[in-house]
Amino acid sequence: MELPFTNFKLTGFSGCLLSIPALLFVGIAGVIGQQFYDEISPYIIIVATLAVLGVIISYGKSANKTHADDIKNYKDLQEELKHITVKYNANISELETSYKNEIKGLSNISKLTQKSTIRSNYSSKYTAIRKAYEKERDQYQMVWKATHGGIKLKNIWQMLFFIGFVLILGACSFSMGVTMEPEEPVTGVTALMQSRTWSADNIPMPHMTDGSQYVSNPDSILSQNVVDSINIVLRQMDEQFDIESAMIIVGHIENDDPIAMVRGVYQKYGVGKNNRGLVIVVGYLDHSYFIAPGRALEGDLTDLESDQLARTYLIPSMKAEQPDSGMFYLARGTYALFAEKDMPVMSSLTNTYNGQEDEEDTESMIIMLIFTVLLGGWAYYANSMSRKLGFNSTSQTRLRANPFIDYTTAAIAAGSVLGSSRSSSHSSGGWGGGSSHIGGGYGGGSWGGGGAGGRW
Amino acid sequence: MSNNASKSGFSKNTLIIGAVLAVIVIWAISAYNGMVKVEEQATTEWAKVQSAYQRRADLIPNLVNVVKGYASHEKETLEGVVNARAKATSITVDADDLTPEKLEQFQQAQGELSQALGKLLAVQENYPDLKANENFMDLQKQLEGTENRINEARNSFNTAVQEYNLKIRKFPNTLLAGIFGFDKMAKFEADAAAQKAPEVQF
């Protein structure tokens, strides 16, 4: 019997089948992010190579013939085993009928005293039948193996089905894990971020050209999703409360002086219509910040309130190296303060901020659905192939269980709690769309020195 | 014929003189208004400076009370702050009478208050309970904000005074300034004795 992977048609066919989860893996990973292509590319290369090689070579006639012969031989084995099993099952049925007749013939009192003894005797006879069955079955299989070199074909197919099943589950788990990936701490500090310092003179201010942009993030510390979300919050604040904002987060502030940067931004750009401006400066690598309300805003956002906002939302997140959460919740908290709404509750710092939860839950559900369909399809295919190739162990090739054992009525509760996506404890809240601002520029506001700052 | 000639010459001269005078008057009015404007800006900024210092002074009684609750036997320090505050608030400088001497006197008094405050805040290092007291921490935070306001107000005042002084000292404005009593204003100078803002440490 040839080695498993010299059976090229088998190899090619199985390679094609295995490439299905691989393709799905790729597709879903591609939706999630480019970086995952790098992680799974070795897997893709191996499976794709197997698939292509196998398909090309599998058109050889000799391969076809070998495969067909193997299947025929295996089917013959299964047929013979079925005959043996049917024969012994018939013996067991006769034994069971005899037992029932014997019990039936007993009086009620005799049943109480003799039934267990009779059952025990018949159980012993069953055991003898079983031993005889196993002996004949094993003998036949030994002879068959000696003649045909074993039943490796069945093992190969079973292995392939199992590998496919595991791969699909693995791809599903990986994709699910990816969608629920918590925000990674910002640990990689680029050389540019490390070297460049920012001041009011060189900080880019997107609001000057686009009135819907309030966040300056030149070192890309925040992700674009978060920047967009913060812009929505600050735009709401602008439209509802006439508070013009500038939120700045950089790696290093010049001279590590956020107050000087705040002063410079106010002087240079005049943040705030009617002096109702709000400038927030964070030096992420310097571990410093300052929240500076404009002159006319100091009454609505006092020094203590600014400090409280920072201590509640900014500092814990920054300490956990999660600037996205910190800045987003700071913006939301500030909005809630002005709107006199309940202050947002920051989710655990091991999870992403609440605003993303609904989106991620939907994504997780879609992924689970795809993989459920794929698993179901694979299971169906495996079952139909097994039947076709005669691999399925039907009841006709399995000996009956011992009918003379007195099973207790213990209920075996088998349950499994299927985990679903993680709980969502806070609604995201729709911040609304709102029209995009045309043009840009600030309203000429000034700063009176109020606000709060500090370090973490 | 000579009469007609002299009449038209006189008229022409009159016109020229009149025009020149008109230009001078217009310029004078414009210059005067300009000086008034920058002077007002400077006095407004001075009011903001006083307001910021007053804000600090208003925080001190609460601060003293909180510290007294935990460190009552720091008598000397507490009295020092109270006395310095009294002295600082007793010196009021009118914007119209902002001479360099008076400004220096004002700055010195405020400087002494800053130093006394610094000593008072330093007391917290010996009293952990005081340091952890929420009221104390809130007052410290307000004090920090107040110091920032003082700094900003002083910077704005200095900028406004600079602009005013430049305006009145430039020629030909300086001619008018002397006539109408626009005097040079004094600016805040850096304190040689290190007028340090009280350090707020957590």
Side-chain angles (χ1 to χ4, degrees):
Chain A
M1 179 87 173
E2 61 197 328
L3 292 172
F5 289 102
T6 57
N7 185 336
F8 294 117
K9 186 173 180 183
L10 177 64
T11 306
F13 194 61
S14 54
C16 287
L17 290 173
L18 288 174
S19 67
I20 293 173
L23 288 169
L24 263 175
F25 206 103
V26 170
I28 290 168
V31 168
I32 293 163
Q34 181 66 34
Q35 68 184 48
F36 298 111
Y37 276 109
D38 297 330
E39 292 176 16
I40 64 171
S41 55
Y43 164 80
I44 302 302
I45 291 168
I46 291 167
V47 171
T49 305
L50 270 177
V52 170
L53 200 62
V55 167
I56 291 171
I57 297 172
S58 68
Y59 283 99
K61 287 181 183 175
S62 58
N64 279 344
K65 187 179 182 310
T66 307
H67 188 234
D69 286 345
D70 288 343
I71 291 174
K72 187 179 176 304
N73 291 336
Y74 191 76
K75 277 186 174 174
D76 292 340
L77 169 67
Q78 293 296 306
E79 277 302 312
E80 186 55 36
L81 287 176
K82 195 166 72 176
H83 287 310
I84 297 171
T85 308
V86 164
K87 183 176 78 179
Y88 281 90
N89 279 339
N91 292 344
I92 293 170
S93 296
E94 283 174 16
L95 200 66
E96 194 178 18
T97 308
S98 173
Y99 166 77
K100 282 179 183 171
N101 290 337
E102 194 170 330
I103 294 295
K104 207 174 174 182
L106 294 172
S107 64
N108 287 341
I109 295 172
S110 300
K111 272 184 193 177
L112 287 172
T113 53
Q114 296 176 21
K115 189 177 180 182
S116 61
T117 309
I118 297 170
R119 188 188 294 120
S120 179
N121 291 338
Y122 274 91
S123 183
S124 303
K125 290 175 185 175
Y126 170 86
T127 306
I129 293 173
R130 175 167 271 279
K131 280 183 180 169
Y133 161 76
E134 286 171 357
K135 187 179 175 185
E136 189 172 339
R137 184 196 65 191
D138 292 344
Q139 255 179 348
Y140 184 81
Q141 283 181 336
M142 211 161 30
V143 168
W144 189 90
K145 275 181 191 174
T147 312
H148 300 289
I151 46 175
K152 286 192 179 114
L153 180 68
K154 180 185 176 185
N155 293 339
I156 291 167
W157 275 105
Q158 285 180 335
M159 186 177 67
L160 288 170
F161 289 138
F162 177 73
I163 288 173
F165 191 74
V166 168
L167 282 172
I168 292 168
L169 278 181
C172 179
S173 301
F174 182 82
S175 301
M176 292 286 288
V178 158
T179 61
M180 292 193 284
E181 195 72 34
E183 181 183 348
E184 290 292 334
V186 178
T187 54
V189 175
T190 64
L192 183 64
M193 197 193 299
Q194 193 69 297
S195 64
R196 187 150 193 190
T197 60
W198 299 92
S199 68
D201 292 326
N202 63 3
I203 188 78
M205 299 291 278
H207 192 75
M208 296 304 291
T209 50
D210 182 353
S212 66
Q213 303 295 312
Y214 299 86
V215 179
S216 180
N217 180 35
D219 288 332
S220 300
I221 295 170
L222 304 179
S223 63
Q224 190 55 47
N225 280 345
V226 171
V227 170
D228 293 340
S229 298
I230 294 174
N231 278 327
I232 291 172
V233 176
L234 297 182
R235 193 170 71 211
Q236 284 245 324
M237 227 157 65
D238 197 350
E239 289 171 358
Q240 278 186 273
F241 310 116
D242 284 330
I243 297 171
E244 207 172 47
S245 311
M247 190 176 254
I248 299 168
I249 178 166
V250 296
H252 289 293
I253 299 171
E254 192 175 71
N255 300 323
D256 191 14
D257 190 351
I259 295 178
M261 188 163 193
V262 160
R263 185 186 303 124
V265 166
Y266 266 109
Q267 284 174 353
K268 185 170 180 180
Y269 297 102
V271 178
K273 294 165 279 191
N274 302 318
N275 283 326
R276 288 176 64 83
L278 177 64
V279 174
I280 298 171
V281 169
V282 176
Y284 183 68
L285 296 178
D286 297 333
H287 294 199
S288 62
Y289 69 91
F290 202 91
I291 300 173
R295 284 184 194 275
L297 197 62
E298 287 181 23
D300 293 331
L301 181 61
T302 63
D303 296 352
L304 286 179
E305 285 166 341
S306 300
D307 182 59
Q308 195 58 37
L309 284 170
R311 288 185 184 280
T312 303
Y313 300 115
L314 185 69
I315 293 175
S317 295
M318 292 303 179
K319 281 183 177 174
E321 293 185 358
Q322 294 183 356
D324 278 350
S325 296
M327 298 299 277
F328 176 73
Y329 273 99
L330 181 62
R332 278 189 66 179
T334 308
Y335 174 86
L337 190 73
F338 289 119
E340 293 177 5
K341 286 185 177 179
D342 291 333
M343 301 297 278
V345 175
M346 196 161 62
S347 60
S348 163
L349 289 175
T350 57
N351 291 329
T352 56
Y353 54 87
N354 286 340
Q356 256 190 338
E357 278 186 14
D358 283 355
E359 196 182 307
E360 288 175 357
D361 285 343
T362 307
E363 204 174 276
S364 304
M365 276 177 62
I366 292 171
I367 291 169
M368 277 184 69
L369 193 63
I370 290 171
F371 280 102
T372 301
V373 168
L374 186 62
L375 267 174
W378 185 260
Y380 176 79
Y381 173 74
N383 190 50
S384 64
M385 278 302 292
S386 295
R387 283 177 186 275
K388 188 178 168 186
L389 300 174
F391 297 156
N392 259 0
S393 278
T394 64
S395 58
Q396 290 181 318
T397 57
R398 283 197 301 271
L399 194 69
R400 282 182 58 189
N402 188 347
F404 307 109
I405 293 177
D406 183 19
Y407 293 101
T408 59
T409 55
I412 301 171
S416 63
V417 178
L418 298 175
S420 62
S421 59
R422 57 196 166 79
S423 62
S424 176
S425 61
H426 183 74
S427 65
S428 68
W431 293 108
S435 57
S436 61
H437 287 214
I438 300 171
Y442 287 104
S446 61
W447 181 51
R455 293 182 174 276
W456 68 85
Chain B
M1 194 173 171
S2 62
N3 276 343
N4 284 341
S6 64
K7 262 188 186 172
S8 62
F10 177 74
S11 294
K12 197 175 178 183
N13 286 339
T14 306
L15 277 172
I16 289 168
I17 291 166
V20 169
L21 277 173
V23 167
I24 290 169
V25 166
I26 290 170
W27 163 81
I29 293 171
S30 170
Y32 177 81
N33 288 342
M35 285 186 284
V36 166
K37 184 180 172 186
V38 291
E39 189 188 36
E40 280 301 309
Q41 280 173 347
T43 54
T44 301
E45 293 302 330
W46 173 245
K48 287 177 184 173
V49 169
Q50 287 188 306
S51 172
Y53 275 117
Q54 186 60 44
R55 186 186 174 121
R56 180 172 76 166
D58 290 342
L59 283 173
I60 289 171
N62 287 340
L63 191 65
V64 166
N65 284 336
V66 171
V67 173
K68 215 187 258 183
Y70 289 86
S72 55
H73 53 274
E74 297 281 347
K75 204 174 170 186
E76 198 181 314
T77 307
L78 289 166
E79 279 178 2
V81 167
V82 171
N83 294 337
R85 177 184 179 275
K87 184 181 173 187
T89 51
S90 68
I91 298 174
T92 53
V93 181
D94 192 9
D96 295 330
D97 193 23
L98 193 56
T99 61
E101 295 76 26
K102 287 192 176 171
L103 184 60
E104 192 183 339
Q105 199 181 6
F106 178 85
Q107 193 170 340
Q108 190 179 356
Q110 295 293 343
E112 287 170 10
L113 177 55
S114 295
Q115 286 179 14
L117 260 176
K119 284 180 189 168
L120 182 66
L121 289 171
V123 158
Q124 66 176 302
E125 295 302 324
N126 299 329
Y127 301 91
D129 289 342
L130 172 65
K131 199 170 179 178
N133 180 271
E134 208 168 303
N135 282 343
F136 184 74
M137 288 168 68
D138 285 350
L139 283 165
Q140 278 189 308
K141 190 50 69 174
Q142 290 180 66
L143 206 59
E144 191 182 319
T146 303
E147 292 294 340
N148 286 333
R149 285 179 177 80
I150 290 170
N151 286 338
E152 287 309 301
R154 282 162 57 118
N155 290 338
S156 299
F157 173 74
N158 281 356
T159 304
V161 164
Q162 186 175 348
E163 199 177 330
Y164 168 77
N165 288 344
L166 275 172
K167 190 92 177 175
I168 65 168
R169 289 178 64 198
K170 277 183 179 175
F171 184 85
N173 288 349
T174 188
L175 301 171
L176 279 178
I179 294 169
F180 290 108
F182 287 102
D183 298 319
K184 188 181 164 188
M185 288 170 83
K187 290 190 288 187
F188 279 105
E189 303 288 343
D191 190 359
Q195 184 188 359
K196 249 169 59 170
E199 282 182 14
V200 177
Q201 292 180 0
F202 295 97

